[in-house]
Amino acid sequence: MRILFHTLCFLFLFSSCKTPEARRPVNIKSGSFIDESINRNKQLASKEEARIQKIIAQDTLHDYITSQGGFWYFYTKKDTTAVLTPKFGDIVNFNYNVQDLNGNIIYTQKELDTITYHIDKQELFLGLREGLKLMKEGETITFLFPSYQAYGYYGDDHKIGTNIPLKTKVTLNKITQESTTKN
């Protein structure tokens, strides 16, 4: 009886010492959802950019500049003598308003009040964050942002909805360099 018990234990141990096998996925998913999303976003971006190009073509009063970041702008007030533009960590003081591309005011300058912002250290929508870096003290620039440079898919949870391209008029009042704020 004892021999039978030891034999069964030995067989049990021998059969349980097996190398682990890789688990196979139950469902194999393709990247079709991601591919569709990419295509939808590309189509949306091209429609918005075509709309912005149409606005630019119809506006003969202003000379628009294309930024490296994918938005367009023109100067209302330009300072040709200043050289200082805000860099990472600098503090800027500015005013701005927000409109849709049809010119309907979403947020007035008075509603938004004067903003004090640490460059790249605080939250601000991407296009405006990059646009401020192009400005000099005292300048006023009007920016045209496609939705992916503005509030994108989510909007701002208040007045700006999903995928809304924006037009903003920004006045940069003051730049305080980071090195002077540390002293």
Side-chain angles (χ1 to χ4, degrees):
M1 176 87 166
R2 198 176 226 188
I3 294 177
L4 180 62
F5 178 72
H6 287 295
T7 307
L8 285 175
C9 287
F10 179 72
L11 286 175
F12 178 71
L13 286 172
F14 181 71
S15 64
S16 66
C17 294
K18 186 171 139 182
T19 59
E21 289 182 26
R23 294 180 2 183
R24 304 282 177 228
V26 176
N27 294 330
I28 299 174
K29 295 190 179 197
S30 68
S32 64
F33 175 77
I34 293 172
D35 293 340
E36 289 172 14
S37 179
I38 290 169
N39 289 334
R40 255 191 326 270
N41 288 335
K42 284 181 180 178
Q43 289 173 355
L44 177 66
S46 358
K47 284 180 185 176
E48 290 176 0
E49 289 174 13
R51 186 172 171 207
I52 290 172
Q53 290 300 330
K54 185 177 178 183
I55 290 169
I56 291 171
Q58 292 173 346
D59 185 358
T60 56
L61 297 176
H62 302 104
D63 293 323
Y64 285 84
I65 301 166
T66 304
S67 76
Q68 292 178 347
F71 55 87
W72 295 263
Y73 62 98
F74 65 86
Y75 287 91
T76 304
K77 182 180 174 189
K78 184 173 183 168
D79 186 345
T80 55
T81 59
V83 292
L84 179 66
T85 58
K87 305 285 185 257
F88 177 83
D90 290 349
I91 299 170
V92 294
N93 177 285
F94 68 98
N95 297 89
Y96 74 114
N97 69 5
V98 179
Q99 304 173 31
D100 63 18
L101 292 184
N102 295 324
N104 300 315
I105 302 277
I106 299 172
Y107 292 109
T108 65
Q109 185 173 325
K110 188 175 182 179
E111 279 180 279
L112 296 172
D113 204 13
T114 300
I115 308 289
T116 300
Y117 170 69
H118 284 77
I119 297 291
D120 292 334
K121 290 187 175 184
Q122 290 177 286
E123 290 295 317
L124 197 62
F125 70 87
L126 178 63
L128 186 55
R129 194 168 58 225
E130 295 304 313
L132 285 168
K133 294 177 192 175
L134 301 172
M135 299 181 74
K136 298 172 189 161
E137 209 169 271
E139 290 186 330
T140 301
I141 296 180
T142 300
F143 295 98
L144 301 177
F145 299 115
S147 66
Y148 62 87
Q149 286 285 333
Y151 287 93
Y153 179 74
Y154 295 103
D156 76 341
D157 294 329
H158 299 289
K159 294 182 178 182
I160 300 171
T162 299
N163 297 325
I164 304 293
L166 298 176
K167 180 178 184 178
T168 65
K169 185 176 183 179
V170 181
T171 301
L172 183 58
N173 303 318
K174 184 167 177 54
I175 301 171
T176 306
Q177 290 182 295
E178 183 179 32
S179 59
T180 61
T181 59
K182 288 182 179 179
N183 294 336

